Amino acid sequence: MNDFLNIHYLKRGNARQQKVYDLLQKTQIMKKLRIYQPILVGTIPIGIDLESSDLDIICEVKNEIAFQKHLQAMFRSYPCFCQKKKANYVVATFNYKDTKIEIFGQNIPTIKQNGYRHMLIEHRLLTILGPTFKSNLKNLKKNGLKTEPAFIKLLNIDGDPYKELLLLDNLTNIELQIRFSHLIPS
C-alpha cells in the first residue's frame, strides 16, 4: 500500500502521477505548507483522475487568519488565485500551467479529514474490486458523476455517498470482500 503521507510514491506511479510529483517538486507547494501537515488527496493519488482533475491538498489549520495570510503570501502570484472562508474551513485555488490546484484547510488533523479518509477507503475498494471496477468507475466519472457518487452507484448502496463511504471505512478488507464479492472478478 502507498504511503500517501509522503509524495514520493508519485515518482513510481502512472504518467500523470509522475507529472504531479514534478509539479510539486518545482513549486515546492508541500514544503511551503509543511507547518499545516499537507496531504495530497483525491483522485490523482489513487489513479482514477480524469484529464480535468485538479490537485487537492488538505491542511490542518488552527488559526484561519494566519493560514489565509500564508496562502496569500505563498500563492497569490499564481494565475487565478482565489481564496474563500467558509464556516469551518478555508479554501484557496489557483493554476499552475495547465493544472488547477485547490488547498483546503480545516481545524482537524489531516489524517482525520474526510478527504483523506475517503481516499483511503476508495483505494482499498479499488484494490479489492480490481481493474474492471476501476474502469467502470472512470467511465461514470467521464459521464459527469463525481467520485464518491460513482463509487456508491457501482457498489449499489443507497444514501449519502460521502457518509456511506465513511461507513465502509469501518470494515476490514475481508469484510469488504465478502460484502462486495459479486463485484470481484473470478
Side-chain angles (χ1 to χ4, degrees):
M1 182 157 198
N2 288 337
D3 175 9
F4 292 113
L5 303 180
N6 181 335
I7 64 166
H8 288 23
Y9 70 90
L10 295 168
K11 283 196 300 190
R12 301 179 310 276
N14 63 36
R16 177 81 187 274
Q17 290 168 333
Q18 291 174 25
K19 180 181 173 188
V20 166
Y21 178 80
D22 291 340
L23 178 155
L24 292 172
Q25 292 301 104
K26 285 177 188 162
T27 60
Q28 295 292 298
I29 291 173
M30 302 305 265
K31 187 175 185 178
K32 291 174 183 175
L33 294 170
R34 76 173 166 253
I35 62 172
Y36 300 106
Q37 291 77 48
I39 303 174
L40 178 66
V41 298
T43 59
I44 292 170
I46 58 176
I48 56 169
D49 54 297
L50 302 178
E51 199 172 300
S52 60
S53 296
D54 60 358
L55 290 184
D56 296 308
I57 300 170
I58 59 172
C59 296
E60 178 182 359
V61 176
K62 302 224 185 287
N63 181 328
E64 290 178 349
I65 293 170
F67 183 62
Q68 287 177 293
K69 287 179 181 177
H70 185 83
L71 291 174
Q72 288 172 5
M74 293 292 120
F75 307 113
R76 76 170 164 241
S77 64
Y78 287 90
C80 303
F81 178 83
C82 177
Q83 183 174 280
K84 294 177 186 166
K85 162 80 175 83
K86 298 291 185 173
N88 62 348
Y89 65 90
V90 172
V91 65
T93 57
F94 55 91
N95 294 335
Y96 177 78
K97 296 186 177 179
D98 60 346
T99 303
K100 182 178 177 186
I101 299 167
E102 180 176 286
I103 300 172
F104 176 90
Q106 183 174 39
N107 189 9
I108 297 174
T110 47
I111 61 169
K112 294 187 177 184
Q113 288 185 28
N114 286 348
Y116 182 69
R117 294 178 60 211
H118 283 150
M119 181 181 70
L120 291 182
I121 185 59
E122 291 163 1
H123 183 259
R124 288 174 55 210
L125 288 165
L126 289 167
T127 302
I128 291 166
L129 300 176
T132 301
F133 182 86
K134 182 176 183 175
S135 176
N136 292 338
L137 181 80
K138 286 186 85 168
N139 284 333
L140 286 176
K141 288 172 55 63
K142 286 176 187 169
N143 288 317
L145 217 51
K146 294 278 190 188
T147 303
E148 287 79 1
F151 267 94
I152 296 306
K153 181 177 178 73
L154 287 175
L155 297 172
N156 198 27
I157 297 174
D158 293 323
D160 180 314
Y162 303 91
K163 290 178 183 175
E164 294 299 326
L165 274 177
L166 292 177
L167 293 174
L168 293 177
D169 192 33
N170 295 321
L171 301 177
T172 66
N173 284 354
I174 292 172
E175 290 170 325
L176 289 171
Q177 288 172 337
I178 292 167
R179 178 159 180 193
F180 301 113
S181 61
H182 63 285
L183 297 172
I184 299 173
S186 315

